[in-house]
Amino acid sequence: ATNGVTISNYGSFVSVDFPVGTTTVTFRAQDCPGNTAECSVTVTIVDNQAPVLTGCPQNQTWAGDLNACTKTVTLVIPTAGDNCAVTSVTHTLSGATTLVDNEFPNQLDLYYGVTNIVYAAFDAAGNSTTCSFTVTVSDPQPPTISCPSNATVNADAGVCYHTATGGLFNPVVVDNCPVTPSFTLFGTTSASGSGTLNGVQFNKGLTTVNWSKCNLYRTKCRQSSSGYNIFSTTVFHSCFGAWCSCLCF
């Protein structure tokens, strides 16, 4: 027989261990004068058993550290087994933290939010199995936001509005993670966006600017403009509501 199979008895496959794959078995018959005849048969063994992962962690929640944007989490690594052999094990992270890796670190730096972790085991036959869980890391640190000082700004030459430049109307935002504040304008000027007011045209009249920065908290400040005349726009700023513990998605 081929494929490393040895058959010691005659005419029977009893107690023969065939490996996964195709084995060709040749039978030969011989009489006393030495005449022979042969026939062959192939035996194909298919591995349809998926690997098994044991000890997959449960969903878990961690409180983040102050002044950091990630949390180092120590995870229990599941054990992979198979009826033949496990050829590879991978883990994939998606959501707040993304990563695809064939290595198996038991410590991962996870960003604030919900990270989905999927372990996968594969064998040589292409069978696979997975187990998954989530790790939620909370951000305990609200951002701070400060509006600029009140200012009186003249309308630009030849027009009845002022174009913001140089960060004049932008707030100062501080957080343990990178932040991009968003704004909403209403009144004589209506607009919304994020990052900066540079390039926004403020019409003559009363415009209110609401700034906010969201992580797991919401922080706001307000800029209001009034006291204008036909040639100028006067902008007053007032900040309020250091933070409130409402969720922001």
Side-chain angles (χ1 to χ4, degrees):
T2 62
N3 204 21
V5 176
T6 299
I7 300 177
S8 58
N9 55 337
Y10 296 95
S12 173
F13 286 170
V14 175
S15 299
V16 175
D17 293 330
F18 288 91
V20 171
T22 300
T23 301
T24 300
V25 180
T26 301
F27 293 95
R28 173 180 293 179
Q30 183 174 348
D31 59 14
C32 290
N35 300 308
T36 61
E38 293 184 351
C39 69
S40 297
V41 62
T42 60
V43 178
T44 301
I45 305 300
V46 178
D47 176 17
N48 57 9
Q49 299 181 50
V52 176
L53 285 169
T54 57
C56 194
Q58 300 296 313
N59 296 342
Q60 49 196 277
T61 299
W62 296 81
D65 297 326
L66 291 176
N67 302 318
C69 201
T70 60
K71 172 71 175 180
T72 300
V73 177
T74 301
L75 300 174
V76 175
I77 300 175
T79 302
D82 189 59
N83 59 307
C84 294
V86 175
T87 56
S88 65
V89 180
T90 65
H91 68 273
T92 303
L93 279 63
S94 61
T97 309
T98 58
L99 177 68
V100 177
D101 203 344
N102 291 330
E103 299 297 326
F104 245 48
N106 66 337
Q107 285 192 335
L108 292 171
D109 292 330
L110 303 180
Y111 289 100
Y112 291 145
V114 180
T115 297
N116 304 297
I117 301 179
V118 179
Y119 289 108
F122 303 86
D123 65 15
N127 302 308
S128 64
T129 191
T130 62
C131 74
S132 62
F133 61 100
T134 62
V135 178
T136 302
V137 180
S138 60
D139 181 359
Q141 194 167 347
T144 61
I145 187 168
S146 301
C147 284
S149 301
N150 296 338
T152 299
V153 182
N154 291 329
D156 297 338
V159 295
C160 199
Y161 57 81
H162 172 76
T163 301
T165 59
L168 176 63
F169 299 145
N170 294 337
V172 176
V173 182
V174 178
D175 193 35
N176 53 311
C177 297
V179 294
T180 301
S182 58
F183 60 83
T184 303
L185 281 62
F186 55 93
T188 58
T189 307
S190 297
S192 61
S194 62
T196 178
L197 285 174
N198 288 348
V200 174
Q201 293 179 349
F202 284 84
N203 298 321
K204 178 181 68 69
L206 176 63
T207 298
T208 300
V209 183
N210 280 344
W211 284 99
S212 65
K213 167 62 189 86
C214 295
N215 48 19
L216 293 183
Y217 298 90
R218 176 170 295 158
T219 303
K220 294 182 180 180
C221 75
R222 169 172 291 174
Q223 301 169 293
S224 61
S225 57
S226 60
Y228 60 89
N229 59 42
I230 194 170
F231 298 109
S232 65
T233 301
T234 304
V235 182
F236 298 97
H237 306 281
S238 61
C239 290
F240 67 95
W243 62 277
C244 61
S245 58
C246 54
L247 292 177
C248 178
F249 299 98

